[in-house]
Amino acid sequence: MKAQPTASHFIDGAFVEDTSGAVIEVIYPATGAVLARLHEATPALIDRALAAAARAQGDWAALRPVERARILRRAADLIRAHGEELARLETLDTGKPLQETRVADWPSGADALEYFAGLAPTVTGETIPLGRDFIYTLREPLGVCVGIGAWNYPSQIACWKSAPALAFGNAMVFKPSEVTPLSALRLAEIYMQAGLPPGLFNVVQGRGAVGGALITDARVAKVSLTGSVPTGRKVYAAAAEGMRYVTMELGGKSPLILFDDANLDDAVGAAMMANFYSSGQVCSNGTRVFVQKGLKDAFLARLKERSEAIRLGDPLEEATQMGPLVSQTQLDKVMGYIDTAKREGARLVTGGARADLNSGYFVQPTVFADVTDDMTLAREEVFGPVMAVLDFDTEAEAIARANATEFGLAAGVFTADLTRAHRVVGQLQAGTCWINAYNLTPVEGPFGGNKASGVGRENGHAAVQHYTQVKSVYVGMGPVDASF
Ligand code: NAD
């Protein structure tokens, strides 16, 4: 099986190769087979990409918003028209089953293109009357934006960053994760086909050092990172040095609180979606499942039964519901957390081992019960199909324990008592919350984290503030009142 792209990079409207860059091997996680060999961007290529973006951005910003929007909408249509091919590519790159990549990854990227195309022409300033004089404000693009992606949602992340950037008149240089470098190159091709002028969306490949070189360049106005908290700290600090805008979409250890009066099947289904979708490799996953004591036994029994029925296997098979983890590194990390959970006394309810399938990086859907707040499993982001179930008695206790973490990405509450649901959500320290739902992130809603989980918001109207800046223009209408 091969998925070799035309070249490693896409710069100024064309595929570009430079084999002097270090090799990046693209591995199919379901078998360990090498799908493609790419090269990291050299300093000369990074410079070319930034120069192209800086050159192209001015003319792009000068277009009417409806003209920019038309191109983004065409790109959204192309993504939908190539849906099956793109889903397969994402499955090869990430190991996620087709059942997911057909409906979640590129489709949510297309939604972002369509949404920001619609929003672009509505972005306006305001007029502030001052009696005789007045001020008007303009919302201007930032300039050249750098996007740096994680490997868990590569196509979605590339679209969620580039769509608002481009819609509001910016240019972007995007560096995908070195683990999943393929889909961003397809997105660049699609943008070109849709009529995006050269230089506005460039893709350079590489590991952390390439990201580092991008964010410290003087031509860059903004950095949007999706990644882990430790990487976020480094990137934020480097961006601060150059006084650049940032959006930080980072990790989490989000609480999902299930009260006794929750609908049992909904609670179980949500907990499974919040831990096993994408083999648990979702930033906003509800990995600390707080279950009120009256619901606990029924919850665990149903959860075990449904978890053991999950069809794990070849992600290209239509029937497969769960695929492998993305890489050997991730597999080792997740197995390490499972061993630690066992050693620290968590009770294994189901799973807890590798699944031996075609030398892929498969882990069984795993549930631990009787997890306590001090266990590693309750404190650190695992990023694998490992659910921690914790018991609680009272609402106040659940809220306090849910908030006792450095993270603040997401949170969920299941209860039949709507008053309680809103009261609890009002006290949860998380950027994105769900009531009787979990992990639904339509582009219409702002998404992002509090505390160590991030800065800024993607999607929704909130994204306007993160890809534009305000210019304030004072207009003097009369004689200058000079004191001298
Ligand atoms: P990572 O932090 O290892 O890498 C993220 C990206 O940063 C990669 O492209 C990497 O090459 C780059 N990078 C690494 N060091 C860098 C440096 N010093 N300077 C510039 N760039 C650098 O994360 P990952 O393992 O790819 O992804 C998983 C993490 O992403 C998890 O923590 C997950 O929670 C998080 N995530 C967050 C969101 C969100 O929206 N909040 C979404 C998806 C994933």
Side-chain angles (χ1 to χ4, degrees), residues 148-153 157 160 175-179 206-213 215 225-232 234-235 248-252 281-284 330 381 383 409 447-449 453 458:
I148 300 179
W151 46 256
N152 65 332
Y153 275 87
I157 290 169
W160 282 17
K175 189 200 86 62
S177 164
E178 60 274 26
V179 182
R207 301 181 172 85
V210 171
I215 58 187
L225 169 77
T226 298
S228 61
V229 172
T231 302
K234 285 187 221 154
V235 172
M248 294 282 141
E249 292 285 355
L250 309 177
Q281 302 164 120
V282 182
C283 54
S284 49
Q330 198 58 22
E381 187 183 45
F383 231 54
L409 188 55
F447 180 79
S453 292
E458 291 192 313

